[in-house]
Every structure is written in C-alpha cells, then in structure tokens.
Amino acid sequence: MPPQHSPRRARIAFADSAAKQLETITSEAELHALDRALVVVSVDPDVGEALPGDTAGPQLRQYTDDIERVRLLYWVTALRTVVVVAYIEV
C-alpha cells in the first residue's frame, strides 16, 4: 500500500496593501498571530466565510482567529493560491 500524503497546502501571496501592512509589523507576538492564521488558511482555503459582494470578481473571504485576535481578508484563485488582501488585528 503506497504511503498517504497530506493534502497540498495552498500557496500564499500578498496584495500590495497586505504587503505594506507586513512591513509595519515589529512585534514577535504579531508575527506569531499572523503566521498561525496563514497556516490555517493555507491548509484549508475555504475555512473563512464568504463576504457578500459582486459575483463578477473573485469571492472575498474572511478568516477570524479569535484566540490570536486576527482577521485575514483574502480570496482564492482558480489554482488554489490564497491572495491575502489585508491583515487586521481585532
């Protein structure tokens, strides 16, 4: 029996606005919180809830981690790349 592989993680990319937010992070705790949220979304891009909006473009989603108090706004491409639009501490 061939070995079972875990599902492939989604690739994470950052929109310009999210990249600018990353440049301002200096706290180790903030980096840890963001990293934790990115791991969750990369393992299951559909984990976040769909936000209402126009169906002509990509479906914007949000993932909220209440433990780390982080919210990610993102969309998923056809090739399952997660594009993070914004990182928000709640």
Side-chain angles (χ1 to χ4, degrees), residues 4 6 9 11 18-19 25 28 30 37 41 44 46-47 52 71-72 74-75 80 84 88:
Q4 296 265 335
S6 60
R9 286 187 178 187
R11 190 174 144 251
I25 296 175
E28 192 74 30
E30 289 177 348
V41 172
D44 182 8
D46 297 321
V47 70
R71 183 170 69 145
L72 293 178
Y74 66 96
W75 56 278
R80 305 296 284 170
V84 177
I88 303 165

Side-chain angles (χ1 to χ4, degrees), residues 11-77:
R11 190 174 144 251
I12 302 288
F14 296 93
D16 290 342
S17 59
K20 287 179 185 176
Q21 285 181 301
L22 289 176
E23 292 173 2
T24 64
I25 296 175
T26 57
S27 162
E28 192 74 30
E30 289 177 348
L31 286 173
H32 173 76
L34 174 60
D35 187 50
R36 177 184 162 112
L38 291 173
V39 167
V40 170
V41 172
S42 73
V43 170
D44 182 8
D46 297 321
V47 70
E49 66 182 53
L51 297 176
D54 188 5
T55 58
Q59 177 68 54
L60 193 60
R61 304 182 69 81
Q62 74 173 347
Y63 168 72
T64 303
D65 183 331
D66 293 326
I67 295 170
E68 296 289 346
R69 302 184 49 84
V70 169
R71 183 170 69 145
L72 293 178
L73 300 179
Y74 66 96
W75 56 278
V76 182
T77 68

